[in-house]
Amino acid sequence: METPLFTYPFSIGLMFIVSFLLVVTCIWLAALSKSDRKLILKKIPGPASLKAIGETFMEALLHRKIFRKNPVLGYMHTSLAFGWFLLIVVGHLEAAVHYHTFSFPLWKSIFFRYAEPAPATGFAGHFFATSMDFLLLLILSGVGLAYYKRFNSRAFGMKKTTQLKVGDRIALTALWLIFPLRLIAEGVSAGLHRNGSFLTQPTGNLLAAILPLPLLEKPVWWAYSCALGVFFVAMPVSRYMHIPVEVLLIFLRRYGVRSQKHVNGYTRVQVFSCSRCGICLDSCQMNHANIRNTQSVYVLKQIRGRRLSDEQLFNCLLCGRCQKDCPVGIDLNDIRITQRIESTAEYNSTYDYLKNGPSPQADVVYFAGCMTHLTPSIKKSMQKLLNYAQVNYWFMDEHKAPCCGRPLIQAGQLEAAQKLIANNRDKIMQSGARTLVVSCPICYKVFSEDYKLPNVRVMHHAEYLLELVNQGLLPVHNSPKRVVYHDPCELGRGSGIYDQPRQLLGQYVELITMKHEKEDAFCCGGSLSNIKISMQERDRIRDHVLEEFQQYRPDQVVTACPLCKKTFTKGTEVEVRDLAEIVWESVSQQIIAAQPPVKQLEPEEVPS
Amino acid sequence: MSKPKKVITIGGGVAGTEVSSLLAELGYDVTLIEKNSQTGGKLNGWSHLFPTGRPAAQVAEFLQHKVQRNSFKTICQTDVSQVVFGNGSFLVKTSGDERLPADAVVISTGFDIFDATRKEEYGYSVYENVITSVDLENRLKAGAPITTAAGNKPCRIAFIHCVGSRDEKCGNHHCSKVCCVTGVKQATELAKQLPQAEIFCFYMDLRMFGLPYESMYREAQEKYNIQFIRGRLSEAAENADGTLQIKAEDTLSGRPLKMQVDLVVLLVGMVPGKNTAHMADLFELQREPNGFLQTEDPHLFKNRSSRKGVFLAGTCTGPMTVDETLDHARSAALDIHHYLQNK
Ligand code: SF4
Ligand code: SF4
Ligand code: SF4
């Protein structure tokens, strides 16, 4: 049989998308650093590739993570992606078995029922015909759900769904048409040639009863092929680019490529990997302040379209809740910070007034941080505890020291931050200390990730106090107070420290377990990273969090971040404390209890 | 003559006692509900009043005389627990299980003092030598000499204006109006008591709105050598010897400033009282964005709430001096009188 004309839209579309993907992949790989490219070349022949294949299967086809988050949504994605994948593979096998070879023109497997009008024979023929119908049915059920979701996203446990642009509309319409058209095309052929199975044959019979099939056969196959072709051509300007690009992302990630502090090929790959599933919309607390256009999915979309406004870019808490939920595993926080660095005119202070005298020698350096200086009770508790445990420490920023640099990085001022970092790093290294203790999770994050302090352990005071307790240097005493522990974003999701604060706290008070804690913890709303939000909007975000705390009727709200403490204190009558304060309160009470009682003077003895 | 109409006053501070006295004098059947054990409100804790320097106790005594003369019913240590709205009348239920009918209600629940621990960076209740203007006033009233926590005479004292007022971060946008002049008054009193001490006031801008206030301010500078520095305090830190290191920016010279002082006095602002908020809920009244009760018209009907028959007197509607509170209470009495006459 000659190649029918109607297959051309499909073939041209396919050729287009394949060449397009090859070109962009090359461009993106070229935009990686040399070391990244070396890394990839080195790892391609290794186990990383196998793991990437496995992950592609689990995530890009089976969508395991979406399943976990939301089974109905997961089924929709799986039935479409995995169903389509199998349809291609099984279709190909069917053709290969039929022709007894793998070398046949591609169109013959895609349009098999047209190419081979004879009814299926033998076990293999029936098996394949039934399987293909079954797969088509599976996909159609997914398409049906997708229709339903567009009109009723609440049924999926999702409050919002993303808005569509022209490219998306075209691609979406094409995608929605592909499978119904395939059913009709195969149905028409089945009606004419009786080569269908349990789904296509009855469809064909039904159509035969009402329509002049011989006239229709070519046009419906044309329509099917056109839908495929349009889908492929519209793909680069639609969200469906995520289908192939996510695979690339999985491979690059497995090869060890990571986000940098500047936009590179990996950033582009991540941006195009977003499927706009909208899961991140539901995670975002900006909703509580009625801010609904700055969430990650929108930011990625605007980066793609090069239309990102500062308003959107900076109106975000960098709390990381969306990143934790993103099924594609995009580094949403890093992308936003990188983008901020790119879009910010550098603050051009030389900081040459920063001088470094000789640092005193000490075993431990204590860095309270700017925020802790605004919550002096935390600072004071730490000083008392360190003194009590007789730690040989140097309070580095007691009188003056620059900021740790993290807030500048979050605001996009990387170069300025690096000057502060260099200054602080010198001081720490000069002191000869092996441990750096910080009271603020924001500082913790930058000291442990950006400072490069060889042979120095960076510890948040939650970890360090726990160590002192475990070494017996601080007494413990359990009080009957019931408290909730609030995980600060930068310590929890940002640095993965969930257990040490709880272990420490558990020795002093009774800890209540909450619904939203650890990875799912809320942001207090006070985040320094958002420089666009108003105070009233922050308050709404905070009040929402406090409402959850209230449900557990705690005696105290405990956190491990001066900023969280400040934020919550303003919104509640319940006592808000930092871990260090809880420990010091308990230790100081025991010191008092251990002292011999003061002798009471009789009234007449009172010296006048 | 028919039975006198009934008025309930909620809150027995300066405004509540004054409005009750006047209405009783006009022949109404007044009941005053006070949550504390004693009427008189915060005036009882003040030492001397600006701008005259008259002992607060004298004014309190005058008001008390009026109360006694007009002998209306006062229920102390009682809260309002529920309100039932009738047709132009009210039924007020109290925590003491009383059910009091009323033809009109006056809300005079006043203000609360801003809780300075919410501004932790200033170190109140963390550092012993950080006190509030209310603490200072109470100490002045008690007649005790003003010392540091260690019992020494303070050599350097800093007054900090606008603590908890005009501060978005505290959620309070409003100016509390009275603290600037209170600061001038207290600084002058300290200068008299401790002539050797250096006294500084850190302000954003000085609001000397009353006729004699400007002269008080001038006198504070010229006669008592009090130094006024335009700049907002950023934080206070404690030195090992208990003295305080304060950081601010001198916004006139544009330079960051650090200073060591022995005593810090925070001029705490006025915030809508908890009880005021409670009344707004019970009576379903509109509040201003800053939380004070909304008046029916800011020019013409400053004693009427958003609900007919519920009147407002004093600082539940916003910051006022003692004198202004008395004026507001008196105009409330007159407004209620007209209302009840025409009812
Ligand atoms: S960023 Fe992640 S969670 Fe958000 S829409 Fe894209 S893929 Fe979904
Ligand atoms: S980081 Fe937080 S605030 Fe920002 S978009 Fe994600 S969930 Fe929303
Ligand atoms: S009166 Fe003065 S100190 Fe008080 S809030 Fe207004 S400006 Fe600030």
Side-chain angles (χ1 to χ4, degrees):
Chain A
M1 191 193 282
E2 279 207 7
T3 311
L5 268 185
F6 74 77
T7 61
Y8 280 91
F10 159 76
S11 308
I12 293 169
L14 186 65
M15 267 170 346
F16 167 78
I17 189 66
V18 170
S19 3
F20 180 85
L21 288 174
L22 282 175
V23 172
V24 284
T25 306
C26 291
I27 294 176
W28 288 333
L29 292 181
L32 286 176
S33 68
K34 243 206 179 115
S35 54
D36 276 343
R37 285 203 300 271
K38 267 197 194 141
L39 194 69
I40 297 171
L41 281 181
K42 207 178 96 198
K43 293 233 179 145
I44 284 183
S49 292
L50 285 180
K51 283 187 185 150
I53 293 173
E55 191 183 336
T56 303
F57 193 77
M58 293 310 287
E59 300 305 340
L61 292 175
L62 288 184
H63 293 100
R64 185 182 47 148
K65 285 196 191 127
I66 304 189
F67 246 113
R68 241 186 254 156
K69 172 96 189 159
N70 183 331
V72 187
L73 192 67
Y75 176 78
M76 187 188 102
H77 279 258
T78 308
S79 59
L80 271 169
F82 193 53
W84 199 355
F85 171 76
L86 284 182
L87 199 69
I88 296 167
V89 174
V90 177
H92 220 68
L93 285 177
E94 181 181 28
V97 169
H98 187 87
Y99 298 124
H100 303 290
T101 168
F102 271 102
S103 64
F104 49 84
L106 184 63
W107 72 267
K108 288 212 171 180
S109 82
I110 305 292
F111 305 100
F112 187 74
R113 295 278 175 276
Y114 181 87
E116 297 303 328
T121 51
F123 173 75
H126 284 291
F127 168 76
F128 278 117
T130 316
S131 309
M132 292 299 278
D133 266 21
F134 172 75
L135 291 172
L136 185 58
L137 185 65
L138 181 76
I139 299 174
L140 283 170
S141 68
V143 174
L145 280 175
Y147 273 75
Y148 185 62
K149 170 174 176 256
R150 259 292 131 203
F151 302 113
N152 191 356
S153 62
R154 270 191 187 273
F156 287 70
M158 295 188 13
K159 289 177 215 86
K160 293 115 220 139
T161 195
T162 50
Q163 301 291 309
L164 292 181
K165 282 263 150 42
V166 185
D168 280 317
R169 263 181 210 289
I170 298 174
L172 182 73
T173 315
L175 182 64
W176 282 7
L177 285 176
I178 288 173
F179 298 99
L181 281 174
R182 181 176 171 123
L183 174 66
I184 295 173
E186 290 190 345
V188 168
S189 290
L192 287 171
H193 318 293
R194 311 210 56 78
N195 65 352
S197 182
F198 72 93
L199 178 67
T200 41
Q201 195 57 55
T203 312
N205 298 344
L206 197 71
L207 293 174
I210 51 173
L211 294 169
L213 292 193
L215 282 180
L216 278 177
E217 188 174 24
K218 275 267 166 71
V220 288
W221 283 103
W222 263 100
Y224 173 53
S225 168
C226 285
L228 284 168
V230 168
F231 178 70
F232 290 144
V233 173
M235 198 146 135
V237 289
S238 79
R239 62 155 97 172
Y240 298 104
M241 264 301 266
H242 82 88
I243 301 170
V245 181
E246 187 184 346
V247 179
L248 181 60
L249 173 65
I250 290 173
F251 276 83
L252 292 182
R253 200 162 45 208
R254 286 285 175 182
Y255 293 146
V257 181
R258 293 289 174 267
S259 295
Q260 304 294 327
K261 289 211 160 57
H262 55 265
V263 171
N264 63 7
Y266 190 60
T267 324
R268 302 302 294 166
V269 172
Q270 295 201 72
V271 166
F272 279 87
S273 295
C274 167
S275 65
R276 300 197 193 150
C277 64
I279 286 179
C280 56
L281 291 178
D282 282 354
S283 326
C284 181
Q285 289 170 263
M286 301 298 279
N287 294 319
H288 301 158
N290 220 354
I291 299 171
R292 300 188 189 275
N293 61 343
T294 69
Q295 283 78 0
S296 292
V297 57
Y298 301 127
V299 165
L300 294 181
K301 190 163 141 189
Q302 302 298 53
I303 295 176
R304 240 183 100 166
R306 299 181 194 278
R307 279 188 307 263
L308 184 63
S309 69
D310 274 2
E311 191 56 45
Q312 277 179 305
L313 179 58
F314 286 89
N315 205 343
C316 158
L317 306 161
L318 290 181
C319 68
R321 281 173 58 82
C322 50
Q323 177 167 332
K324 176 238 354 161
D325 283 341
C326 173
V328 183
I330 304 174
D331 297 336
L332 296 168
N333 266 6
D334 282 340
I335 290 187
R336 212 185 269 257
I337 291 177
T338 311
Q339 211 65 34
R340 287 180 178 191
I341 293 171
E342 299 274 318
S343 82
T344 311
E346 285 286 336
Y347 174 63
N348 60 2
S349 172
T350 56
Y351 288 110
D352 49 13
Y353 54 84
L354 293 176
K355 300 247 158 41
N356 270 347
S359 307
Q361 296 298 299
D363 299 338
V364 172
V365 171
Y366 174 58
F367 187 92
C370 319
M371 278 296 137
T372 312
H373 281 286
L374 298 181
T375 48
S377 167
I378 302 179
K379 178 175 74 174
K380 207 170 156 179
S381 303
M382 277 308 289
Q383 284 175 282
K384 299 229 165 160
L385 286 167
L386 292 170
N387 289 338
Y388 181 87
Q390 299 185 342
V391 176
N392 170 19
Y393 74 101
W394 170 44
F395 188 167
M396 174 172 158
D397 61 339
E398 180 169 16
H399 298 298
K400 61 175 175 199
C403 159
C404 66
R406 175 99 180 140
L408 280 170
I409 296 178
Q410 289 176 327
Q413 308 279 1
L414 182 62
E415 210 176 294
Q418 272 157 352
K419 291 175 191 158
L420 305 186
I421 290 177
N423 181 284
N424 280 329
R425 186 200 295 121
D426 280 355
K427 286 193 201 140
I428 298 165
M429 294 317 291
Q430 268 183 36
S431 76
R434 288 302 175 86
T435 305
L436 169 67
V437 178
V438 298
S439 278
C440 170
I442 306 170
C443 305
Y444 179 82
K445 178 110 174 138
V446 72
F447 278 121
S448 49
E449 287 179 10
D450 298 294
Y451 265 69
K452 314 219 166 36
L453 299 165
N455 303 322
V456 178
R457 297 187 300 165
V458 180
M459 298 178 94
H460 183 270
H461 69 229
E463 301 169 276
Y464 188 66
L465 293 178
L466 180 66
E467 189 174 288
L468 293 181
V469 167
N470 289 343
Q471 288 169 356
L473 294 171
L474 294 175
V476 291
H477 172 73
N478 200 291
S479 96
K481 279 197 176 137
R482 298 173 68 249
V483 312
V484 293
Y485 173 69
H486 166 79
D487 289 281
C489 297
E490 296 269 65
L491 195 65
R493 277 183 300 273
S495 309
I497 297 190
Y498 299 111
D499 296 334
Q500 296 91 325
R502 290 184 165 77
Q503 280 173 27
L504 180 65
L505 209 49
Q507 317 226 24
Y508 292 93
V509 286
E510 184 192 329
L511 200 57
I512 309 169
T513 316
M514 289 192 293
K515 178 161 175 246
H516 290 99
E517 59 174 19
K518 303 192 176 170
E519 297 83 4
D520 286 328
F522 285 123
C523 169
C524 68
S527 167
L528 290 179
S529 340
N530 193 328
I531 48 182
K532 293 282 178 190
I533 192 172
S534 75
M535 215 59 210
Q536 288 82 344
E537 288 165 332
R538 282 189 192 280
D539 290 352
R540 264 180 264 159
I541 294 178
R542 174 203 67 200
D543 290 345
H544 198 274
V545 185
L546 286 170
E547 265 169 41
E548 170 166 50
F549 294 166
Q550 270 311 333
Q551 289 169 14
Y552 300 93
R553 310 229 155 273
D555 297 320
Q556 287 175 321
V557 171
V558 182
T559 182
C561 169
L563 187 54
C564 297
K565 182 189 173 195
K566 265 187 98 55
T567 309
F568 287 138
T569 307
K570 284 179 288 171
T572 176
E573 299 292 319
V574 181
E575 276 182 356
V576 184
R577 292 284 184 271
D578 185 274
L579 274 170
E581 294 172 276
I582 299 285
V583 177
W584 171 245
E585 263 166 41
S586 169
V587 171
S588 66
Q589 274 165 19
Q590 289 170 74
I591 299 173
I592 295 167
Q595 275 164 2
V598 183
K599 189 179 159 239
Q600 291 288 314
L601 297 180
E602 291 300 314
E604 53 269 25
E605 286 181 66
V606 176
S608 54
Chain B
M1 197 186 145
S2 63
K3 264 195 9 202
K5 293 210 163 107
K6 291 185 179 359
V7 181
I8 291 180
T9 309
I10 304 170
V14 171
T17 47
E18 181 69 0
V19 80
S20 304
S21 306
L22 293 178
L23 287 170
E25 201 170 326
L26 288 166
Y28 293 103
D29 177 357
V30 179
T31 309
L32 171 64
I33 303 177
E34 165 59 41
K35 71 173 185 331
N36 293 319
S37 56
Q38 199 191 345
T39 59
K42 296 188 186 64
L43 184 62
N44 296 336
W46 300 163
S47 161
H48 291 80
L49 299 182
F50 59 79
T52 53
R54 177 179 304 154
Q58 283 183 12
V59 174
E61 209 177 310
F62 175 85
L63 297 177
Q64 208 46 43
H65 270 302
K66 251 172 136 176
V67 168
Q68 276 152 15
R69 200 169 66 227
N70 294 300
S71 67
F72 50 85
K73 186 174 172 202
T74 303
I75 317 175
C76 284
Q77 282 177 304
T78 301
D79 285 320
V80 174
S81 54
Q82 204 193 339
V83 180
V84 184
F85 302 115
N87 186 13
S89 67
F90 304 89
L91 184 65
V92 173
K93 297 186 188 166
T94 68
S95 54
D97 270 344
E98 277 159 299
R99 302 157 67 88
L100 308 165
D103 298 295
V105 172
V106 192
I107 293 179
S108 47
T109 39
F111 67 98
D112 276 358
I113 286 154
F114 173 75
D115 174 5
T117 60
R118 303 210 155 193
K119 195 87 187 148
E120 194 183 330
E121 56 267 46
Y122 292 176
Y124 185 63
S125 90
V126 182
Y127 304 137
E128 289 172 315
N129 287 314
V130 179
I131 63 172
T132 67
S133 46
V134 174
D135 298 333
L136 178 61
E137 195 67 27
N138 294 343
R139 287 200 206 174
L140 287 168
K141 185 176 165 91
I146 302 305
T147 62
T148 63
N152 301 321
K153 269 192 185 177
C155 300
R156 281 181 142 207
I157 303 166
F159 280 84
I160 314 300
H161 288 238
C162 301
V163 177
S165 315
R166 305 175 68 193
D167 186 347
E168 206 192 11
K169 289 192 181 151
C170 298
N172 295 332
H173 289 258
H174 64 276
C175 163
S176 295
K177 197 167 156 182
V178 302
C179 17
C180 269
V181 58
T182 303
V184 170
K185 179 200 82 122
Q186 292 187 335
T188 308
E189 285 171 314
L190 288 196
K192 286 182 192 162
Q193 197 186 107
L194 304 159
Q196 306 303 327
E198 281 184 284
I199 301 178
F200 303 88
C201 290
F202 289 85
Y203 67 96
M204 292 209 283
D205 41 14
L206 283 164
R207 305 205 158 164
M208 295 294 145
F209 60 99
L211 205 51
Y213 300 174
E214 190 67 24
S215 338
M216 288 172 66
Y217 169 43
R218 180 171 306 166
E219 196 182 61
Q221 296 176 82
E222 290 173 354
K223 191 162 163 198
Y224 296 103
N225 232 338
I226 294 160
Q227 297 182 49
F228 288 82
I229 300 174
R230 200 185 80 179
R232 190 156 210 173
L233 190 66
S234 61
E235 61 190 77
E238 196 179 45
N239 298 313
D241 60 357
T243 60
L244 297 156
Q245 165 98 222
I246 57 177
K247 287 186 197 163
E249 189 192 351
D250 184 335
T251 50
L252 285 181
S253 68
R255 245 182 272 143
L257 176 152
K258 256 192 200 176
M259 186 185 274
Q260 187 157 325
V261 297
D262 302 314
L263 188 67
V264 169
V265 183
L266 306 176
L267 292 164
V268 279
M270 299 165 100
V271 294
K274 265 197 218 76
N275 244 353
T276 299
H278 183 48
M279 288 311 127
D281 290 343
L282 282 183
F283 286 91
E284 296 163 13
L285 304 179
Q286 301 287 322
R287 295 167 75 181
E288 297 287 350
N290 55 26
F292 290 100
L293 297 180
Q294 201 179 71
T295 58
E296 189 187 314
D297 184 289
H299 300 292
L300 304 174
F301 303 115
K302 289 179 66 169
N303 292 106
R304 298 189 192 166
S305 73
S306 55
R307 175 180 284 281
K308 200 164 177 233
V310 177
F311 292 81
L312 308 174
T315 50
C316 60
T317 62
M320 290 178 192
T321 65
V322 171
D323 321 357
E324 288 168 337
T325 306
L326 285 171
D327 290 348
H328 198 244
R330 288 165 188 167
S331 71
L334 201 54
D335 205 9
I336 296 163
H337 179 53
H338 284 309
Y339 169 79
L340 292 176
Q341 292 269 300
N342 297 327
K343 210 176 145 182

